[in-house]
Amino acid sequence: MSDCIFCKIASGEINASIVYQDDEVVAFNDLNPQAPTHVLVIPRKHVSRVSELEEADAALAGRLILTANQIVRDLGLVEAGYRLVLNCNEGAGQSVWHVHLHLLGGRTFGWPPG
Ligand code: AMP
């Protein structure tokens, strides 16, 4: 999508602090981190929100989680615990309309989330 900021990060048109990328996904540091580690993992394919993922996207959806798990292992954050979050629609706090998995780590987290 030409006006999607995360599509532009995936294509390299806009700079981001990229921590991992391959043919399917890109992971980069959040501009406004909510934890010492706050990485966003996105599919290169434009999908506006998690509710729009379809059966054909099953492997891609799994890839988002597996990518986050690998980053967490690389950073040595598994033992301490980490949180993966997908916000869907404004009521849940979604502000960028391209699916993104938040990977948060490096601190303790409360429950329920705000
Ligand atoms: P959400 O509120 O779940 O839609 O999350 C969107 C996230 O994208 C927020 O945490 C923002 O800080 C982050 N964000 C927005 N623009 C950028 C950008 N250009 N580079 C990195 N992170 C961004």
Side-chain angles (χ1 to χ4, degrees):
M1 275 247 305
S2 56
D3 62 345
C4 170
I5 190 165
F6 284 0
C7 282
K8 289 180 178 173
I9 286 173
S11 70
E13 194 180 331
I14 288 181
N15 279 335
S17 170
I18 291 177
V19 298
Y20 175 81
Q21 58 183 322
D22 62 24
D23 289 349
E24 290 187 304
V25 303
V26 181
F28 51 94
N29 289 310
D30 197 294
L31 262 189
N32 182 24
Q34 302 300 310
T37 295
H38 188 171
V39 173
L40 302 175
V41 187
I42 66 167
R44 287 191 183 276
K45 174 184 175 182
H46 182 84
V47 180
S48 296
R49 66 202 91 205
V50 69
S51 62
E52 291 180 16
L53 288 169
E54 298 174 342
E55 202 60 42
D57 299 314
L60 183 59
R63 187 52 53 197
L64 297 179
I65 294 174
L66 295 179
T67 298
N69 282 351
Q70 186 59 53
I71 292 168
V72 163
R73 278 196 293 273
D74 291 346
L75 293 174
L77 292 172
V78 176
E79 276 296 295
Y82 58 101
R83 182 165 288 177
L84 304 180
V85 176
L86 287 157
N87 294 323
C88 185
N89 286 337
E90 283 162 358
Q94 185 176 2
S95 62
V96 177
W97 303 99
H98 181 127
V99 168
H100 47 282
L101 179 67
H102 293 261
L103 184 180
L104 298 140
R107 66 170 170 86
T108 54
F109 298 95
W111 192 265

